[in-house]
Amino acid sequence: VGSPRHAETLRPLLEPYRGLVLVIAGGAFAYGAVDRFRAMLAAVVGDEAGARQAFAGAVELESRIGAPPLEARSRWWRARLLGDPGGTDAEAVARIAAEHELPALARLCALLDA
């Protein structure tokens, strides 16, 4: 919701789960790396260094486990919240969307260019 006060409350609650993937229903659905959510909270409170570090962990983990759509989401959020001056995240999101035929992801990628 963009509330720094709420983000500060939630940040320490996610710390024990860094480096893990958030799943529900016995692994039937994966939301992505907990580090992505840690990064988003860090960005909301203005901790850019913490956000960059957590986003890097999320992208690395999601890439390592072979989850391109999750990696693309982490890259999209990183570009959205921290900027993407070189366009590397936007390019990666577009590539993943094209390679895996993910039209909704391609539409999200267009928002980075706006």
Side-chain angles (χ1 to χ4, degrees):
V1 296
S3 166
R5 184 173 64 91
H6 289 98
E8 281 294 354
T9 301
L10 293 171
R11 283 182 80 184
L13 299 175
L14 292 183
E15 278 303 311
Y17 305 101
R18 70 184 331 158
L20 299 176
V21 176
L22 179 61
V23 297
I24 61 169
F29 183 81
Y31 277 102
V34 171
D35 289 335
R36 179 189 330 141
F37 301 101
R38 289 180 52 247
M40 293 164 76
L41 292 170
V44 167
V45 301
D47 178 6
E48 186 173 326
R52 288 193 184 286
Q53 182 180 25
F55 272 128
V59 167
E60 189 279 325
L61 173 60
E62 292 162 344
S63 174
R64 186 168 30 96
I65 65 171
L70 299 180
E71 176 191 347
R73 279 194 200 110
S74 289
R75 288 177 173 278
W76 187 86
W77 276 108
R78 179 170 59 190
R80 180 95 191 330
L81 294 174
L82 301 177
D84 189 18
T88 56
D89 279 328
E91 288 173 12
V93 172
R95 177 185 46 76
I96 291 168
E99 286 175 0
H100 299 279
E101 299 179 17
L102 302 167
L105 187 58
R107 286 191 295 278
L108 276 178
C109 188
L111 294 175
L112 290 175
D113 296 329

